Amino acid sequence: MKDFDDREERVGKLKGLGCARKRVEDARFTQGKGNYVDDVKLPGMLFGDFVRSPYAHARIKSIDATAALELPGVIAVLTAEDLKPLNLHWMPTLAGDKQMVLADGKVLFQGQEVAFVVAEDRYIAADAIELVEVDYEDLPVIVDPFEALTTDVVLREDLDTSEPGAHGPRKHHNHIFLWEEGDKTATEQAIESSEVVAEEMVYYHRTHPCPLETCGCVASMDKVNGKLTLWGTFQAPHVVRTVASLLSGIAEHDIRVISPDIGGGFGNKVGVYPGYVCAIVASIVTGKPVKWIEDRMDNLMATAFARDYWMKGRISATKEGKITGLHCHVTADHGAFDACADPTKFPAGFFHICTGSYDIPVAYVGVDGVYTNKAPGGVAYRCSFRVTEAAYFIERMIEVLAIELNMDAAELRRINFIRADQFPYHSALGWEYDSGDYHTAWDKALAAVDYEGLRKEQAERVEAFKRGETRTLLGIGLTHFTEIVGAGPVKNCDILGMGMFDSCEIRIHPTGSATARLGTISQGQGHATTFGQILASEIGISSDNITIEEGDTDTAPYGLGTYGSRSTPVAGAAAAMAGRKIRAKAQMIAAYLLEVHDGDLEWDIDRFVVKGAPDRFKTMTEIAYAAYNQAIPGLEPGLEAVSYYDPPNMTYPFGAYICVMEIDVDTGEHKIRQFYALDDCGTRINPMVIEGQVHGGLTEALAIAMGQEIAYDDLGNCKTGTLMDFFLPTAVETPHYTTDHTETPSPHHPIGAKGVGESPNVGGVPAFSNAVHDAFRAFGLRQSHMPHDHWRVWKIAHDLGLHG
Amino acid sequence: MSKMHIKMTVNGQKKELLSEPRQLLIHVLREELGLTGPHIGCETSHCGACTVEMNGKSVKSCTVFAAQADGAEVTTIEGLGNPDGLHVLQEMFKEHHGLQCGFCTPGMITRAHRLLQENPNPTEEEVRFGMAGNLCRCTGYQNIVKAILAAAAEMNSAKEAAQ
Ligand code: FES
Ligand code: FES
């Protein structure tokens, strides 16, 4: 018993895997002592800001900065002409296209960067912007991606569109690529010969990650030492360093990139934006540090939108509901430049995960990327690359098929789920799902909400509505999603040629504490807390005695950064592997100290114990001390390790979400009565952090499904450039969530973890949207596009004749 | 632009400075006084990241001219708690995981601090309404609400114990 207590106590002290450890980051954040990029203040620092285009498509006839330059405190005004000699007026995008840094002859979207004003403070910069005279000649504006593919209007005059683009031949001068996966002929045959076919256009509207902190940087060129330091809101600081080196010609070892605390990223802070390039150039030109912080309007109008996928689907099944085929064609609006942040070989990201949780024998996906006069971007807003679009598509198609079959949508899902015994499962579109148990999760979810009871209540409500006794309807939004996260593997995933591995370096200090550095960067996920827990369980040192550092390229090992829920699957795995290297050496040291053979030792929580002799052991603290202070024959002093981890496969978290929504037919208002979220993210590192991630992701999903949108008028004016028009839910609109879990470890991840941060966004959007659709199913609604704001919901009711 | 002479008490300390009439309080706090706890999320009074207390009221300091704060008592996140320890709200935000990226947190806590002065015993609904001027993109509010309710309970029992 004593032994047991002792072990319990030692496990408790570790604060390792699986415990709800409180976050180490919080002490500084709760006291206002975070250090975000706008908090960086350097002597003599200047402030840069952009003159932006009011037009969506126009030729620039002239730019006159004379008046601006005369304003006291204005140091410089940069235009494309100034960047040309440096060959920095254009820059490559992550998607194999190029993008203007400053408008070169014409502008292609409203809010585009035209000139960069550098001044002594932000007020003077703002004044100077007004004084820069730009003479525009407006051109016809194309905002509709379908029209873009038929119009004579050429958006990208800089390209020879008769030549193939980065992803093959173009069909039209505004066409970027056609990307295909799956067997088209077999899919068409399967669908044509099926008993039941459902067809639908599912639009996932343009939206924006809108982290609470906008993007920004401080560039500081030290001309004496030839070194450039760049602080910024970078989700991938090492990649930024490489790109900055390639673009500027400054050697990579002379560039230091620092991601300080980041106020949320959600995909918004993956890309390289004109502001970073201009700040660097301005610092080189002036010899002074230059800060650029975009304001909210800049952020919403110009910096990295998400989604904008028109998904035309056909799904077929037997009369009994067994799915026989899935066909999908996407028209993808990429805006003015193809600046999507996807791994190079995947111009539509991992959209071909769109067979979802279902065993679909044959499928085909084709995605046409199209230029329009809208802001560039196409980032993964809290999801792995285009996975949210895929999940929304299949979860809507399942609902539409259920209508076609006149079948319960929960049952239709159950019939088609990939069974637990089918894993590892090879999908028709080429993925190998690592593990899952969908039926168990689904049954648990349905039981938790009393699904049958809800359906009964819903049917009664419909009857009561028809009798005129109520004006609210009940919607039951179902979703079973499968994510794909954790890119690599390096063999097929790279960004600008850099393989998507990640890294961890650990140094054990003589007194038995440790410092670990990783190639990722937290933007609120709590890496300093959870990576410490992974390591604690691997190396037997309490997480309270392990400092986690990230985000400084001078100290951290090279890594591809944090997005696509890749931190736990990739860097978390690197941490575990580096920890195992430490333990392997520690074992040799312990063997020497205990005068036994390595193989006679076994690991026990925080020590090596001689097998069969529990009183003979060496703790990690003792081993660490010996590593530095004792000459051990055949072993180098010290206790350090580094691991660069190339994952063998991606991980496939999944979940079952159910949203119960009351809808007022006369006002279109909704109230979420219940939201149940079951997540399976494999091994759970910190349940408190997981729950927090789920709450946050669901709230972003709520925003997207129920109101958030980047909208344009016919002239390409962005109608949603402020938080007045762009919906971010407050505590009032946000419901209370119930979280739950099953735990199906990933078989290929060192600790079985899969990643969770983005699941709730991927699963949440279809759950909210399906609830709206489901409320009106009895009255004949099949498909209505998001966002389901009150007006649009009112319109559904109106068009269905429910207003009498 | 000619500057104005402004005096205010910030976190209990008297401050005097020269400010352009158009300068916003948030910029004076962050850039002149080095108080970078309050953040800028929108500059249009929507997000609440810049929330501070001015003369016993929560204000969004991006929408207050520094000149309007002349003679005022201003409290920022840096003024809560004391050298020996965290304010109960700060403790409870940590305890209940009421923050992730931390960008909204100073504004949230400063606002919650005022809310609990105005209503020491709020219901969950009152907390949600009382905090509706502060946006958070990370947490989904559930744990923020929990933290504030826990802080209220803690502060009330401390008060009772003192009586
Ligand atoms: S910055 Fe003041 S409310 Fe957003
Ligand atoms: S914790 Fe990130 S915005 Fe609230």
Side-chain angles (χ1 to χ4, degrees), chain B residues 39-50 60 62:
Chain B
H39 297 136
I40 299 171
C42 68
E43 293 170 309
T44 51
S45 16
H46 291 101
C47 77
C50 62
K60 291 177 173 171
C62 71

Side-chain angles (χ1 to χ4, degrees), chain A residues 212, chain B residues 99-105 135-139:
Chain A
L212 201 59
Chain B
L99 64 149
Q100 292 181 25
C101 78
F103 202 74
C104 70
T105 312
L135 299 174
C136 175
R137 292 291 287 144
C138 303
T139 64

Side-chain angles (χ1 to χ4, degrees), chain A residues 643-758:
Chain A
S643 167
Y644 286 82
Y645 187 80
D646 177 10
N649 187 4
M650 280 178 256
T651 60
Y652 297 75
F654 61 94
Y657 291 177
I658 299 172
C659 171
V660 183
M661 194 184 281
E662 303 268 359
I663 292 178
D664 183 323
V665 171
D666 297 315
T667 63
E669 288 169 299
H670 65 269
K671 187 169 173 306
I672 290 141
R673 189 171 91 182
Q674 184 181 8
F675 197 106
Y676 170 89
L678 179 151
D679 273 281
D680 191 321
C681 58
T683 304
R684 290 156 57 83
I685 298 166
N686 182 327
M688 176 191 84
V689 169
I690 292 173
E691 189 181 65
Q693 289 286 310
V694 173
H695 292 168
L698 288 175
T699 306
E700 292 192 339
L702 169 80
I704 295 167
M706 306 309 288
Q708 191 176 85
E709 176 182 25
I710 295 288
Y712 292 86
D713 69 11
D714 291 345
L715 293 174
N717 295 306
C718 179
K719 299 193 288 181
T720 48
T722 73
L723 297 186
M724 191 70 174
D725 323 288
F726 185 79
F727 174 53
L728 298 184
T730 73
V732 174
E733 294 89 36
T734 305
H736 191 278
Y737 305 109
T738 307
T739 56
D740 202 349
H741 67 276
T742 55
E743 193 163 336
T744 315
S746 166
H748 64 75
H749 186 278
I751 61 166
K754 289 186 170 186
V756 73
E758 300 167 334

Side-chain angles (χ1 to χ4, degrees), chain A residues 104-239:
Chain A
D104 182 21
K106 72 188 269 193
V107 288
L108 286 155
F109 65 94
Q110 189 187 50
Q112 188 178 336
E113 300 80 359
V114 173
F116 190 67
V117 172
V118 186
E120 280 167 4
D121 72 33
R122 62 181 92 206
Y123 288 78
I124 300 173
D127 289 340
I129 283 171
E130 301 299 321
L131 297 174
V132 177
E133 300 266 353
V134 185
D135 196 3
Y136 297 97
E137 174 191 317
D138 57 343
L139 296 167
V141 173
I142 309 294
V143 288
D144 180 288
F146 299 98
E147 188 191 344
L149 288 179
T150 54
T151 178
D152 293 339
V153 177
V154 179
L155 301 186
R156 292 289 301 275
E157 291 161 342
D158 59 291
L159 299 173
D160 176 0
T161 49
S162 63
E163 289 293 313
H167 304 284
R170 301 175 197 265
K171 298 178 191 170
H172 179 269
H173 51 254
N174 295 327
H175 181 247
I176 310 171
F177 61 80
L178 167 63
W179 184 81
E180 294 175 287
E181 189 63 70
D183 188 334
K184 191 174 184 187
T185 318
T187 304
E188 278 165 1
Q189 279 168 1
I191 291 175
E192 270 150 34
S193 59
S194 288
E195 292 163 331
V196 182
V197 180
E199 198 170 322
E200 201 54 70
M201 173 66 96
V202 179
Y203 178 46
Y204 198 140
H205 59 293
R206 181 175 275 239
T207 179
H208 194 284
C210 195
L212 201 59
E213 176 201 38
T214 59
C215 298
C217 72
V218 177
S220 179
M221 184 72 207
D222 171 352
K223 289 200 170 169
V224 176
N225 295 304
K227 296 217 181 259
L228 171 70
T229 308
L230 186 64
W231 289 260
T233 47
F234 308 133
Q235 289 182 236
H238 299 271
V239 180

